Every structure is written in C-alpha cells, then in structure tokens.
Amino acid sequence: MKKQTQATEASINVFKALADPIRLAIIRYLRQHDQALSCGEIGQAMQISKTSGSYHFKILQEAGLITVRKVGREKFVKLDRVTFDHYLIHFWQNL
Amino acid sequence: MKKQTQATEASINVFKALADPIRLAIIRYLRQHDQALSCGEIGQAMQISKTSGSYHFKILQEAGLITVRKVGREKFVKLDRVTFDHYLIHFWQNL
DNA sequence: TAAATAGTTCAAAAACATTTGAACTATTTA
DNA sequence: TAAATAGTTCAAATGTTTTTGAACTATTTA
C-alpha cells in the first residue's frame, strides 16, 4: 500500500471501519437505540465474543465513528455524528 | 463473515470499494476531470500496472461507483453519482 | 477478602484482499 | 495481414484483516 496524506489516511480508516457487516450492524443498533450503550450489551445483541467486540469497537473508535466513556467497569459507546457527517454527508467537499 | 441482507451486502461493497487509497485516488481524479476517462489514462496517472488497474476498476464497477462504456478498444469510465448519493449523502436514510 | 463481571491483550490460525507477470482476447493501424 | 494497443484472466506470492482462546487488568458485589 502506498504512502498517503493525512487526510486520505483518515478517510481510509473511516471507510475500512464501515466496510464490515458486524460494524455496520453495531452502527445500526446504536442508531436505533439513539443513546450510549455498553459494549457488553451491544456485543450480546450482535452475538459476538467479547474479544471480537473489543476488536470492532477499537476499529470504530480509531476511525472516530464512536466515542467511548468508561463508567465503573463498563464502557459506554455512542455514535459520533460529526465524523459521519464529515466523511459521508460531506464526502465531495472533503474528498 | 455472517450472512447478510441484500441491502447490507451492497453497502459493504461500496464501503470496501472506498476503503483503498488507489481507488480513492481514482475517484478524486475522475472528480477533478469531471468527465469519462479511459482506464489507460487513469492507470498512468495513478502509476499502477494495467493488471492492477483492471482489478481496481472492477471493484469500483461492481460496487456501482463507476459506469463503464467501451469505445473501440478502450473503456471509458465515469463516476455514478446516484450510488455515491445513495450510500454516502443519504447514509442514515438507507442504513 | 473472594468471587464475579466488563473489558483488553496477545499470538496463532484462518480468511480475505492485493500485486505480479505471463499468456490471453479484441480492436485498431500500418 | 502483421504489428501495435487496450484491457482481461489466471495462478502464485504477498500482505492485511478478522477470529479464536487463554491469560490478563480493573472494578464491583457478596
């Protein structure tokens, strides 16, 4: 893979994060519930292992598509609309 | 990978197609030139081999992001805005 | 304090994506 | 018709992503 500008690298991370059925299902689930949810609850709803959940939440977070807040031993996750808007809604402006 | 609905499978193909620096550069190049261009010209501009070009154009085409028209021995390619709009601009509506 | 719960890390395995070069088809030009 | 050009196909090699289970940390509850 070639060397990229910062801007391109960030886009690539966003599109990679969106390019997976589990992660898209997580996004859909968060959208439907319209609030922060714990990783555990989402993982159960997706029927994936804790390890796999941890991996996918990390990818989403590093892409900037979710924000994470730790409360006690749980982590609550919610969609970051700013990132979605930037890379999707305003795709052409930011390409 | 899990079994998916048709709708999800199509989204995945679109986001996978966008999740690559060469393909994003092709899209950017087509955007800048704002017209159908031949695979050869684009491939040269991207400095990739014919084989690699052929591979990337197929991915873009199968995702519906470009349309292709053969003229003589060349293939001309242009962006399909309908697909971009559907999956990016109207992301939330179609999720 | 011990046990339970939520999530992470690690390395190995499995699955998938991309690049490469050679051989190919189709079309145009000399 | 022969040579050149545009693009495709194939299989092998390489690179990247995802899954797995075991061992781990941090926090809460009994």
Side-chain angles (χ1 to χ4, degrees), chain A residues 7-86:
Chain A
T8 297
E9 197 154 319
S11 303
I12 297 289
N13 287 340
V14 167
F15 292 122
K16 277 188 179 165
L18 294 169
D20 176 274
I22 292 178
R23 292 190 293 268
L24 229 34
I26 291 171
I27 291 165
R28 216 179 266 116
Y29 190 82
L30 281 164
R31 176 77 208 291
Q32 276 160 5
H33 290 75
D34 199 27
Q35 59 179 308
L37 297 174
S38 75
C39 292
E41 163 178 354
I42 300 169
Q44 269 182 263
M46 303 298 125
Q47 315 207 72
I48 57 180
S49 66
K50 281 191 323 169
T51 313
S52 172
S54 195
Y55 171 72
H56 288 294
F57 289 118
K58 188 165 73 133
I59 300 264
L60 288 168
Q61 180 175 203
E62 286 175 356
L65 293 171
I66 60 174
T67 56
V68 178
R69 181 175 54 107
K70 201 181 180 196
V71 177
R73 62 193 166 190
E74 296 173 282
K75 273 183 159 178
F76 288 85
V77 129
K78 72 182 184 55
L79 297 176
D80 187 336
R81 293 305 193 94
V82 174
T83 305
F84 283 91
D85 285 0
H86 189 269

Side-chain angles (χ1 to χ4, degrees), chain B residues 2-56:
Chain B
K2 305 221 170 149
K3 208 186 154 206
Q4 296 303 312
T5 61
Q6 274 310 110
T8 298
E9 198 155 315
S11 304
I12 297 289
N13 287 340
V14 167
F15 292 123
K16 277 191 178 162
L18 294 169
D20 176 275
I22 292 179
R23 292 191 293 267
L24 228 35
I26 291 171
I27 291 165
R28 217 178 265 117
Y29 190 83
L30 281 164
R31 175 77 207 293
Q32 276 160 3
H33 291 75
D34 199 26
Q35 59 179 309
L37 298 174
S38 75
C39 291
E41 161 175 358
I42 301 168
Q44 269 182 261
M46 302 299 124
Q47 315 207 75
I48 56 179
S49 66
K50 282 190 322 167
T51 312
S52 173
S54 195
Y55 171 72
H56 289 294

